[in-house]
Amino acid sequence: MLRTSASRVLDDGDRDEVLALLDTDPVANVFVAARVRAVGLSPSRLGGQMWGYGPRGGLVSLCYAGANLVPVHATREAVHAFADRARRQGRRCSSIVGPAAAVEQLWERLEPHWGRARAIRSAQPVMATSSAPAVEPDPLVRRVRPEEFGILLPACVAMFTEEVGVSPDNGDGGALYRSRVAELIRIGRSYARIDDGQVVFKAEIGAVTPHACQIQGVWVHPDLRGRGHAVAGMAAVVEQALKYFAPVVTLYVNDFNLPARAVYRRVGFQEVDSFMSVLF
C-alpha cells in the first residue's frame, strides 16, 4: 500500500526549497515558478495551495492546486498522494495540466470521483528556443497600449473560445479574464499587430521568470490566415521576449494543430517535452 501522508500544504517557509525544485526544469515549470516568485506560497495570495511531497528540507514533488491543477516533478508516489488530497478536497480547478505522464496518472485516479472531462488533450508538445528568430520579424507587431484594450479584448475572447472550446465569459461574465488581459497590457507583455483598428495578430507573454518566459494566446484574424502573419508575428514576439524578459522562450501547443507547430518550427522553436491537459 502506497503512503499518501507525506502530502502537505506548503507555506512561505518553504519558498526557497520550492523555487530550487522548480528551477531544476525552468521550461516545464515556468508557469508555477512565475506565480511563486510573484506572490509566494500563502494561499490567500497564491490563489490556491501548493502541495508538497516529502518533508521540509527533503521535498521531492509539488502540485499547484489553484484554477489549474499542475503537478511538478511528480513521482508515482507523489501522484498518489496528490490525487488522494484532490479527491478529498473535491474538484476546484478548471483543468489539470502539466507533464504528460504525471497528468495521465493523476487523471486515472481522479476520473472515477470527478466524472468525465469536457476535453482531454493527451499530447501537447512543449517547444522552446533561446536563439534569435530564424525568420524576419513583423515590424508592425508591438506592445499593446492601455487605450487599445477595447480593440484587443474581442480577439482575446475569440482566441480563448477557439482554443479551449468555451467562452471566457462563462461563470463570472468574463470579469476575471478581462482583468488578466488588462494586466498583461499594463505590464507590457501583450503584443499585437493592429491595422486600422483591427487585430491582425496577437500573442501574450503570460509567465516570466529569470530563466524562461512562456508565450500564450497566439491568434491571427481568421480572414487573414495563410498570409504569413503568424510566422512574422511570432518572430517579433520572440525577439522582444529574448531582449526584455528571459533567455529562453517557451510555449506548448496541441499535437493536432499542425499549422501552428509548423509556424513555431519556422521561427526556431524545438520540441523539448510533452504536456497533457484535462479540461472541465
Side-chain angles (χ1 to χ4, degrees):
M1 180 116 177
L2 287 168
R3 292 174 64 244
T4 60
S5 59
S7 170
R8 61 189 177 90
V9 178
L10 306 180
D11 58 32
D12 282 333
D14 301 290
R15 184 179 184 273
D16 289 346
E17 190 178 5
V18 165
L19 285 175
L21 187 57
L22 290 167
D23 287 348
T24 61
D25 191 344
V27 169
N29 301 332
V30 61
F31 166 74
V32 178
R35 188 76 182 147
V36 174
R37 287 180 184 277
V39 300
L41 292 169
S42 170
S44 62
R45 297 191 306 274
L46 190 62
Q49 296 178 339
M50 185 71 77
W51 303 337
Y53 184 81
R56 182 163 292 184
L59 276 178
V60 175
S61 304
L62 306 169
C63 187
Y64 171 74
N68 310 300
L69 194 65
V70 186
V72 175
H73 296 295
T75 64
R76 179 170 291 276
E77 293 78 11
V79 166
H80 283 244
F82 297 148
D84 184 61
R85 183 178 287 274
R87 177 188 58 77
R88 287 185 281 109
Q89 177 178 275
R91 183 175 72 80
R92 301 179 183 179
C93 59
S94 61
S95 69
I96 308 172
V97 60
V103 171
E104 183 177 20
Q105 293 168 27
L106 266 176
W107 184 231
E108 284 176 356
R109 296 184 65 84
L110 289 173
E111 184 178 14
H113 307 283
W114 285 7
R116 294 184 60 185
R118 180 174 56 80
I120 296 177
R121 310 281 170 80
S122 58
Q124 297 175 301
V126 177
M127 308 183 77
T129 180
S130 57
S131 303
V135 295
E136 190 68 24
D138 185 344
L140 298 180
V141 170
R142 56 171 175 79
R143 283 177 169 154
V144 178
R145 297 187 288 268
E147 63 268 23
E148 295 172 315
F149 171 81
I151 295 173
L152 184 70
L153 182 62
C156 293
V157 171
M159 177 282 306
F160 187 99
T161 305
E162 182 178 343
E163 173 68 19
V164 180
V166 297
S167 171
D169 293 337
N170 291 351
D172 65 353
L176 187 62
Y177 187 73
R178 290 194 299 273
S179 175
R180 178 59 174 164
V181 171
E183 173 68 5
L184 288 172
I185 293 174
R186 186 188 67 80
I187 62 178
R189 288 175 14 201
S190 179
Y191 288 84
R193 173 172 173 170
I194 301 173
D195 291 352
D196 298 323
Q198 180 184 70
V199 177
V200 174
F201 164 90
K202 74 153 202 80
E204 292 85 43
I205 301 172
V208 175
T209 76
H211 311 296
C213 63
Q214 184 181 72
I215 294 177
Q216 64 181 40
V218 180
W219 183 85
V220 174
H221 193 288
D223 295 343
L224 302 173
R225 293 175 184 175
R227 304 185 187 183
H229 290 300
V231 172
M234 279 298 294
V237 176
V238 168
E239 183 178 64
Q240 292 291 299
L242 291 172
K243 182 177 181 179
Y244 293 111
F245 295 108
V248 178
V249 184
T250 184
L251 53 81
Y252 63 99
V253 60
N254 292 317
D255 64 336
F256 54 79
N257 194 343
L258 299 180
R261 292 172 69 183
V263 164
Y264 303 147
R265 284 194 296 268
R266 283 189 61 190
V267 174
F269 285 90
Q270 295 182 336
E271 296 183 8
V272 297
D273 203 347
S274 182
F275 274 10
M276 174 178 173
S277 294
V278 179
L279 309 177
F280 303 106

